Amino acid sequence: MKIEAVCPSNIALVKYWGKEGVQLPMNPSVSFTLSESKTITQLGWREALTPGFSFLFEGEKKPGFEPKIQQFLERIAHLAPELQGLELEISSRNTFPHSSGIASSASAFGALSLAIAHLLSSLRNESELDRSLASEMARLGSGSACRSLFPIVGLWGKHPAIEHSSNQFAIGLADKTHPIFKSYKDYILLIDEGVKSVSSTAGHNLMNGHPFAEARKKQAFEHCLRMTEILESGDLDEFIRLTELEALTLHALMLSASTPYILMRPNTVAVLEEVKAFRNETKIPICFTLDAGANVHLLFPESEEQKLASWVKGLARKYSANEKYLCDTVGTGAQSKRIE
């Protein structure tokens, strides 16, 4: 018997940047949960005197991933003491390419955490899976992973004005999200498929002692509350303004760190300019966001997809590595099941 968990990645609208303690956020964040870009993980187990695990990624051993999994299992030991008597067999694969502008750590640790939470609910004879527990475990693997457990929109980080918000786990906001955002599209232009020159972990660390850290915290708390209001109201003009501001703020923090670095590439900047010019000319409500990398996420309502198809292809021909782009949409979150 095994458990299979499927977890998508997510794209942050209000960015999480900077850590405190053990995987706790410096500021709250809000993200769209994606649909097509996901990790599929199978979890098997057997009783063992000494706990341990084996890991396969897309059918092959990947020793380089094992230290992160070991650290994750150690971090969740207090939440999942039952694992101390088990040998785990973990097998995982992605539906999207590596270094594609999609946060693979978010979907990977989300899927593994959901599978473990499913196992725990079975061992504890609980009638329902504890999604908050799964989210808390996912956070201890990858901060942004905790938001991927929830459909449509996830929010992570304690905010005094947002009920049930927590630094320990994310919450879902699907029931407070306007219908237009529940089928929103995310097309990802693959500007640079190489490994980033500065990892996200290193980038988070550079927020410690950052000259604008306190100003960013204040801004992020304001933006987080405002974004939840926008997502509830369906105000596309404000969504575009705030989403693009957050994307550029993230990269401005990189540029102004004690050790400055640039993850945008010339083609990244060119695409941003093209998006703004195209929107001004056509009045189509498309906007951009960026993760901690060079690739560009194009966000727009599903109703505009046919109008934008040829234009996005043209952007890819001009600016994307090997003319590549991925098509995704806001989705219903992570799922798990028992399999034979």
Side-chain angles (χ1 to χ4, degrees), residues 17-298:
W17 201 238
K19 300 179 185 181
E20 298 175 336
V22 182
Q23 295 288 96
L24 296 174
M26 189 174 289
N27 63 266
S29 56
V30 182
S31 62
F32 276 151
T33 303
L34 298 178
S35 176
E36 302 304 316
S37 303
K38 55 196 175 186
T39 297
I40 301 162
T41 294
Q42 291 189 356
L43 176 68
W45 65 93
R46 61 181 178 83
E47 292 185 1
L49 294 176
T50 303
F53 69 93
S54 61
F55 177 71
L56 296 178
F57 179 70
E58 298 185 347
E60 298 181 1
K61 291 185 177 182
K62 296 288 184 179
F65 291 176
E66 292 177 2
K68 286 188 176 182
I69 298 173
Q70 180 62 45
Q71 180 186 59
F72 166 71
L73 294 173
E74 291 171 358
R75 283 178 171 177
I76 69 169
H78 67 291
L79 299 171
E82 293 90 339
L83 299 185
Q84 296 306 304
L86 300 177
E87 172 82 21
L88 303 180
E89 297 176 355
I90 306 164
S91 177
S92 186
R93 61 183 175 89
N94 291 340
T95 64
F96 56 94
H98 183 64
S99 299
S100 61
I102 298 292
S104 58
S105 61
S107 58
F109 281 108
L112 179 55
S113 297
L114 186 63
I116 290 173
H118 193 132
L119 170 59
L120 293 176
S121 69
S122 178
L123 295 175
R124 296 170 182 177
N125 295 314
E126 296 171 342
S127 58
E128 293 187 7
L129 185 150
D130 188 339
R131 198 161 287 257
S132 292
L133 173 62
S135 181
E136 183 170 2
M137 290 191 293
R139 170 184 65 81
L140 292 169
S142 168
S144 60
C146 69
R147 299 187 306 246
S148 281
L149 275 294
F150 300 92
I152 313 298
V153 173
L155 180 147
W156 172 40
K158 180 65 178 176
H159 194 297
I162 300 175
E163 191 176 15
H164 306 305
S165 61
S166 172
N167 286 339
Q168 302 295 326
F169 51 82
I171 60 174
L173 297 180
D175 60 341
K176 296 182 178 180
T177 300
H178 191 280
I180 196 168
F181 292 117
K182 293 184 176 181
S183 59
Y184 229 65
K185 308 301 291 187
D186 179 10
Y187 278 24
I188 305 104
L189 292 177
L190 306 185
I191 306 298
D192 186 351
E193 295 185 86
V195 177
K196 292 185 295 187
S197 59
V198 178
S199 70
S200 292
T201 297
H204 282 293
N205 290 338
L206 285 171
M207 283 303 292
N208 296 319
H210 195 291
F212 303 129
E214 291 305 314
R216 169 54 186 164
K217 283 185 187 180
K218 182 176 183 294
Q219 180 197 53
F221 273 83
E222 293 171 355
H223 284 182
C224 195
L225 181 60
R226 181 65 185 128
M227 184 60 78
T228 63
E229 296 168 347
I230 292 167
L231 292 172
E232 187 168 10
S233 70
D235 186 336
L236 293 185
D237 288 339
E238 270 295 281
F239 176 80
I240 289 168
R241 182 193 70 81
L242 191 55
T243 297
E244 293 188 346
L245 175 57
E246 273 289 308
L248 296 174
T249 296
L250 173 65
H251 286 262
L253 291 167
M254 300 174 193
L255 289 167
S256 54
S258 58
T259 305
Y261 61 103
I262 303 172
L263 293 185
M264 289 191 288
R265 303 270 71 88
N267 280 358
T268 306
V269 178
V271 169
L272 305 192
E273 294 292 350
E274 290 246 17
V275 170
K276 290 190 292 183
F278 179 80
R279 183 173 67 237
N280 290 336
E281 179 183 344
T282 65
K283 308 306 177 187
I284 294 174
I286 183 173
C287 70
F288 63 78
T289 191
L290 303 164
D291 215 329
N295 301 320
V296 182
H297 293 248
L298 304 175

